[in-house]
Amino acid sequence: MEKLRNLRKLRGFTQEYMSNILATDVSNYSRKESGEVRIFDEEWVKLAKALDVPVEDIKENKPGSIVNFNDSSTNSGGFLNNYYSIPEYILENQQDYINLLKEQIEMLKTENKKLKSRR
C-alpha cells in the first residue's frame, strides 16, 4: 500500500502511531500497510482522518485470493479464509505470458487450417 506508506512517512508518523489509531499492534499494522493483511473500509476512514486526506487519496484495492481450507483435523468443519496479495509485477508478467500464448494459439490455428486445406 504505497500511497498509505508514503503519506504516513511524509507526515512523520510511525507505524506504532498508526497502529494505535486502528487499535491494533504494530506488527499487524505493518502487515496491513504492506498489503499482507486486508484493511477494512472503516479502517481506511480512520487512517485517512489521521492523515488528514480523503480516503480516495490513500485507499488501494489490492484484491487477494481467498483460500478456503476445511479444517477436518479438529472436526470443526469450519472454514479458514486466508487473503493473499499478489505483487503487481507478477500479475503483469502473467498477463504478458497469457498474451504470448494467445498469439501462439492463433498462429497454430492458421497453420492447422493451411494443413487441412492441402488434403
Side-chain angles (χ1 to χ4, degrees):
M1 306 290 172
E2 289 299 312
K3 292 178 185 179
L4 174 60
R5 179 182 295 120
N6 290 339
L7 192 56
R8 174 184 62 77
K9 289 180 178 181
L10 184 67
R11 296 281 196 266
F13 296 153
T14 63
Q15 286 188 338
E16 182 178 15
Y17 174 79
M18 300 300 280
S19 71
N20 289 332
I21 289 168
L22 298 183
T24 188
D25 57 60
V26 178
S27 63
N28 190 46
Y29 175 80
S30 177
R31 289 191 300 275
K32 286 177 180 285
E33 190 178 81
S34 68
E36 295 173 38
V37 174
R38 180 177 178 209
I39 300 175
F40 294 94
D41 288 339
E42 59 272 8
E43 292 175 323
W44 281 116
V45 171
K46 290 177 183 179
L47 294 170
K49 186 175 179 181
L51 294 167
D52 195 29
V53 295
V55 172
E56 299 77 33
D57 285 2
I58 58 169
K59 186 174 181 179
E60 296 176 58
N61 289 322
K62 295 205 174 187
S65 302
I66 299 175
V67 176
N68 288 322
F69 170 69
N70 190 352
D71 185 2
S72 59
S73 64
T74 61
N75 294 323
S76 68
F79 287 93
L80 173 67
N81 293 323
N82 293 321
Y83 295 90
Y84 298 97
S85 294
I86 301 171
E88 193 64 34
Y89 72 92
I90 291 176
L91 296 176
E92 290 171 3
N93 186 340
Q94 292 298 306
Q95 191 59 53
D96 290 343
Y97 187 60
I98 290 169
N99 291 334
L100 175 66
L101 291 173
K102 286 179 180 179
E103 289 174 18
Q104 291 176 343
I105 289 169
E106 290 305 314
M107 288 174 23
L108 290 170
K109 283 181 180 178
T110 303
E111 185 178 338
N112 195 18
K113 283 181 185 178
K114 287 179 184 176
L115 291 171
K116 284 183 177 181
S117 68
R118 290 185 187 168
R119 291 183 181 180

